[in-house]
Amino acid sequence: VSQSRYKAAIGSTRTTLNSEFFDGYLTEIHFIDGQALTPSSFGETDAITGRWKAKAYSGTYGTNGFYLPFVDNSGTTATTLGKDRSTYRMLTAQLNGTSNGIQRGADLTGIANGKSGTISMWWNFTGASSGFQVLWSSRNNTTIGSTVNTFRDANGKIGITALNSSGTTILSASTTDNVAAGSGVYHIYMSWDLNLNNQIKIYVNGSDQTLLS
């Protein structure tokens, strides 16, 4: 699923950043290559309010993993968007839903295609679900195969699909409708391990919402 040689896009489709745009704010984007972690690595329940909240991640990222803290709003390059920092505080990037997205600056390289991984993302949807919005996308530009998409659909369903190089579906899971139908902040967490009977988990705000398809 972590495809060597392919770029990754956030908030739109992978090919030319020209369709299925996310409308809202995003923060704390973690991609962990080679590990299927749990939501507690990225969030926790507030003891006073009982609400799910972000916390600092202290683990490793693997060969192709990365972290986007959005600490520097001086530009939109990979250097500013992915700039590291020593203190922990949530900052955001805004996408307008019609014409922009974020693309990782270089192709994934260095290892064979990975079969386990974790994505942790905090999204603040500007409006209620009304169309298909891509959250994370990675694909081969030239063929239908080697594609990964995570999304929110028009019914507020969160899902992930992945195809191998032959165009065969190797991973498919989603939540029920209306899990993320409204506007507001959602912690969307996905973890998979294709080495263990294609195990996949989707958590929304710390709660397991997985439906296998």
Side-chain angles (χ1 to χ4, degrees), residues 160-184:
I160 180 172
T161 59
L163 309 179
N164 64 15
S165 58
S166 300
T168 301
T169 299
I170 57 174
L171 185 64
S172 180
S174 66
T175 67
T176 58
D177 291 345
N178 300 318
V179 167
S183 60

mmCIF file of all heavy atoms in Angstrom, residues 160-184:
data_model
loop_
_atom_site.group_PDB
_atom_site.id
_atom_site.type_symbol
_atom_site.label_atom_id
_atom_site.label_comp_id
_atom_site.label_asym_id
_atom_site.label_seq_id
_atom_site.Cartn_x
_atom_site.Cartn_y
_atom_site.Cartn_z
ATOM 1 N N ILE A 160 -11.438 3.647 2.836
ATOM 2 C CA ILE A 160 -10.138 3.476 2.203
ATOM 3 C C ILE A 160 -10.239 2.345 1.187
ATOM 4 O O ILE A 160 -10.891 1.322 1.440
ATOM 5 C CB ILE A 160 -9.022 3.179 3.234
ATOM 6 C CG1 ILE A 160 -7.664 3.002 2.520
ATOM 7 C CG2 ILE A 160 -9.370 1.971 4.096
ATOM 8 C CD1 ILE A 160 -6.486 2.908 3.482
ATOM 9 N N THR A 161 -9.652 2.536 0.024
ATOM 10 C CA THR A 161 -9.558 1.487 -0.990
ATOM 11 C C THR A 161 -8.134 1.455 -1.520
ATOM 12 O O THR A 161 -7.464 2.488 -1.583
ATOM 13 C CB THR A 161 -10.518 1.730 -2.169
ATOM 14 O OG1 THR A 161 -10.209 3.001 -2.771
ATOM 15 C CG2 THR A 161 -11.960 1.710 -1.711
ATOM 16 N N ALA A 162 -7.677 0.270 -1.906
ATOM 17 C CA ALA A 162 -6.332 0.130 -2.474
ATOM 18 C C ALA A 162 -6.361 -0.930 -3.561
ATOM 19 O O ALA A 162 -6.998 -1.988 -3.408
ATOM 20 C CB ALA A 162 -5.321 -0.247 -1.394
ATOM 21 N N LEU A 163 -5.684 -0.655 -4.670
ATOM 22 C CA LEU A 163 -5.548 -1.588 -5.781
ATOM 23 C C LEU A 163 -4.079 -1.924 -5.964
ATOM 24 O O LEU A 163 -3.206 -1.079 -5.753
ATOM 25 C CB LEU A 163 -6.082 -0.978 -7.086
ATOM 26 C CG LEU A 163 -7.478 -0.369 -7.076
ATOM 27 C CD1 LEU A 163 -7.799 0.204 -8.453
ATOM 28 C CD2 LEU A 163 -8.508 -1.396 -6.673
ATOM 29 N N ASN A 164 -3.794 -3.162 -6.385
ATOM 30 C CA ASN A 164 -2.416 -3.510 -6.712
ATOM 31 C C ASN A 164 -2.103 -3.095 -8.147
ATOM 32 O O ASN A 164 -2.932 -2.466 -8.821
ATOM 33 C CB ASN A 164 -2.155 -5.001 -6.469
ATOM 34 C CG ASN A 164 -2.987 -5.904 -7.386
ATOM 35 O OD1 ASN A 164 -3.550 -5.458 -8.386
ATOM 36 N ND2 ASN A 164 -3.067 -7.176 -7.022
ATOM 37 N N SER A 165 -0.915 -3.427 -8.631
ATOM 38 C CA SER A 165 -0.475 -2.975 -9.945
ATOM 39 C C SER A 165 -1.314 -3.546 -11.078
ATOM 40 O O SER A 165 -1.314 -3.013 -12.194
ATOM 41 C CB SER A 165 0.992 -3.348 -10.166
ATOM 42 O OG SER A 165 1.173 -4.753 -10.043
ATOM 43 N N SER A 166 -2.063 -4.628 -10.807
ATOM 44 C CA SER A 166 -2.931 -5.224 -11.831
ATOM 45 C C SER A 166 -4.339 -4.651 -11.802
ATOM 46 O O SER A 166 -5.191 -5.044 -12.596
ATOM 47 C CB SER A 166 -3.002 -6.742 -11.627
ATOM 48 O OG SER A 166 -1.720 -7.330 -11.718
ATOM 49 N N GLY A 167 -4.597 -3.729 -10.880
ATOM 50 C CA GLY A 167 -5.923 -3.156 -10.765
ATOM 51 C C GLY A 167 -6.873 -3.957 -9.904
ATOM 52 O O GLY A 167 -8.072 -3.670 -9.849
ATOM 53 N N THR A 168 -6.343 -4.975 -9.190
ATOM 54 C CA THR A 168 -7.162 -5.804 -8.311
ATOM 55 C C THR A 168 -7.254 -5.159 -6.929
ATOM 56 O O THR A 168 -6.249 -4.702 -6.380
ATOM 57 C CB THR A 168 -6.556 -7.205 -8.169
ATOM 58 O OG1 THR A 168 -6.471 -7.807 -9.469
ATOM 59 C CG2 THR A 168 -7.399 -8.081 -7.260
ATOM 60 N N THR A 169 -8.458 -5.112 -6.372
ATOM 61 C CA THR A 169 -8.642 -4.548 -5.047
ATOM 62 C C THR A 169 -7.994 -5.436 -3.993
ATOM 63 O O THR A 169 -8.283 -6.621 -3.895
ATOM 64 C CB THR A 169 -10.138 -4.402 -4.724
ATOM 65 O OG1 THR A 169 -10.737 -3.512 -5.682
ATOM 66 C CG2 THR A 169 -10.341 -3.837 -3.319
ATOM 67 N N ILE A 170 -7.099 -4.873 -3.207
ATOM 68 C CA ILE A 170 -6.427 -5.632 -2.147
ATOM 69 C C ILE A 170 -6.824 -5.140 -0.757
ATOM 70 O O ILE A 170 -6.524 -5.795 0.238
ATOM 71 C CB ILE A 170 -4.893 -5.563 -2.295
ATOM 72 C CG1 ILE A 170 -4.413 -4.109 -2.295
ATOM 73 C CG2 ILE A 170 -4.444 -6.291 -3.556
ATOM 74 C CD1 ILE A 170 -2.898 -3.969 -2.289
ATOM 75 N N LEU A 171 -7.501 -4.006 -0.702
ATOM 76 C CA LEU A 171 -7.905 -3.458 0.583
ATOM 77 C C LEU A 171 -9.132 -2.593 0.369
ATOM 78 O O LEU A 171 -9.148 -1.728 -0.502
ATOM 79 C CB LEU A 171 -6.781 -2.610 1.182
ATOM 80 C CG LEU A 171 -6.974 -2.045 2.590
ATOM 81 C CD1 LEU A 171 -7.076 -3.166 3.605
ATOM 82 C CD2 LEU A 171 -5.819 -1.118 2.936
ATOM 83 N N SER A 172 -10.180 -2.839 1.155
ATOM 84 C CA SER A 172 -11.387 -2.041 1.035
ATOM 85 C C SER A 172 -12.135 -2.059 2.366
ATOM 86 O O SER A 172 -12.491 -3.122 2.867
ATOM 87 C CB SER A 172 -12.299 -2.567 -0.072
ATOM 88 O OG SER A 172 -13.470 -1.791 -0.180
ATOM 89 N N ALA A 173 -12.350 -0.913 2.941
ATOM 90 C CA ALA A 173 -13.074 -0.820 4.201
ATOM 91 C C ALA A 173 -13.665 0.574 4.312
ATOM 92 O O ALA A 173 -13.184 1.532 3.699
ATOM 93 C CB ALA A 173 -12.166 -1.102 5.391
ATOM 94 N N SER A 174 -14.728 0.684 5.104
ATOM 95 C CA SER A 174 -15.347 1.977 5.311
ATOM 96 C C SER A 174 -16.070 1.961 6.649
ATOM 97 O O SER A 174 -16.127 0.942 7.341
ATOM 98 C CB SER A 174 -16.338 2.297 4.188
ATOM 99 O OG SER A 174 -17.441 1.402 4.231
ATOM 100 N N THR A 175 -16.625 3.103 7.000
ATOM 101 C CA THR A 175 -17.486 3.207 8.162
ATOM 102 C C THR A 175 -18.942 3.174 7.700
ATOM 103 O O THR A 175 -19.221 3.132 6.503
ATOM 104 C CB THR A 175 -17.224 4.520 8.911
ATOM 105 O OG1 THR A 175 -17.647 5.619 8.079
ATOM 106 C CG2 THR A 175 -15.759 4.676 9.249
ATOM 107 N N THR A 176 -19.872 3.228 8.631
ATOM 108 C CA THR A 176 -21.261 3.416 8.265
ATOM 109 C C THR A 176 -21.485 4.855 7.806
ATOM 110 O O THR A 176 -20.620 5.713 7.984
ATOM 111 C CB THR A 176 -22.187 3.129 9.471
ATOM 112 O OG1 THR A 176 -21.813 4.001 10.540
ATOM 113 C CG2 THR A 176 -22.052 1.686 9.929
ATOM 114 N N ASP A 177 -22.651 5.106 7.209
ATOM 115 C CA ASP A 177 -22.992 6.471 6.834
ATOM 116 C C ASP A 177 -23.095 7.349 8.078
ATOM 117 O O ASP A 177 -23.341 6.872 9.188
ATOM 118 C CB ASP A 177 -24.326 6.500 6.096
ATOM 119 C CG ASP A 177 -24.246 5.858 4.718
ATOM 120 O OD1 ASP A 177 -23.121 5.660 4.227
ATOM 121 O OD2 ASP A 177 -25.315 5.554 4.147
ATOM 122 N N ASN A 178 -22.911 8.647 7.871
ATOM 123 C CA ASN A 178 -23.154 9.671 8.886
ATOM 124 C C ASN A 178 -22.128 9.722 10.015
ATOM 125 O O ASN A 178 -22.279 10.519 10.939
ATOM 126 C CB ASN A 178 -24.547 9.513 9.508
ATOM 127 C CG ASN A 178 -25.649 9.632 8.477
ATOM 128 O OD1 ASN A 178 -25.603 10.489 7.610
ATOM 129 N ND2 ASN A 178 -26.629 8.746 8.555
ATOM 130 N N VAL A 179 -21.078 8.909 9.957
ATOM 131 C CA VAL A 179 -20.049 8.962 10.993
ATOM 132 C C VAL A 179 -19.356 10.324 10.999
ATOM 133 O O VAL A 179 -19.027 10.860 12.053
ATOM 134 C CB VAL A 179 -19.023 7.828 10.792
ATOM 135 C CG1 VAL A 179 -17.788 8.046 11.642
ATOM 136 C CG2 VAL A 179 -19.655 6.487 11.119
ATOM 137 N N ALA A 180 -19.144 10.877 9.812
ATOM 138 C CA ALA A 180 -18.512 12.196 9.698
ATOM 139 C C ALA A 180 -19.333 13.067 8.760
ATOM 140 O O ALA A 180 -18.806 13.738 7.882
ATOM 141 C CB ALA A 180 -17.079 12.059 9.201
ATOM 142 N N ALA A 181 -20.661 13.067 8.942
ATOM 143 C CA ALA A 181 -21.555 13.774 8.029
ATOM 144 C C ALA A 181 -21.591 15.270 8.276
ATOM 145 O O ALA A 181 -21.852 16.048 7.365
ATOM 146 C CB ALA A 181 -22.965 13.200 8.121
ATOM 147 N N GLY A 182 -21.353 15.690 9.501
ATOM 148 C CA GLY A 182 -21.476 17.097 9.826
ATOM 149 C C GLY A 182 -20.187 17.879 9.625
ATOM 150 O O GLY A 182 -19.130 17.318 9.333
ATOM 151 N N SER A 183 -20.288 19.171 9.778
ATOM 152 C CA SER A 183 -19.089 20.002 9.783
ATOM 153 C C SER A 183 -18.398 19.840 11.137
ATOM 154 O O SER A 183 -18.945 19.272 12.077
ATOM 155 C CB SER A 183 -19.459 21.463 9.553
ATOM 156 O OG SER A 183 -20.335 21.917 10.569
ATOM 157 N N GLY A 184 -17.166 20.334 11.226
ATOM 158 C CA GLY A 184 -16.455 20.272 12.486
ATOM 159 C C GLY A 184 -15.229 19.388 12.440
ATOM 160 O O GLY A 184 -14.824 18.907 11.382
#
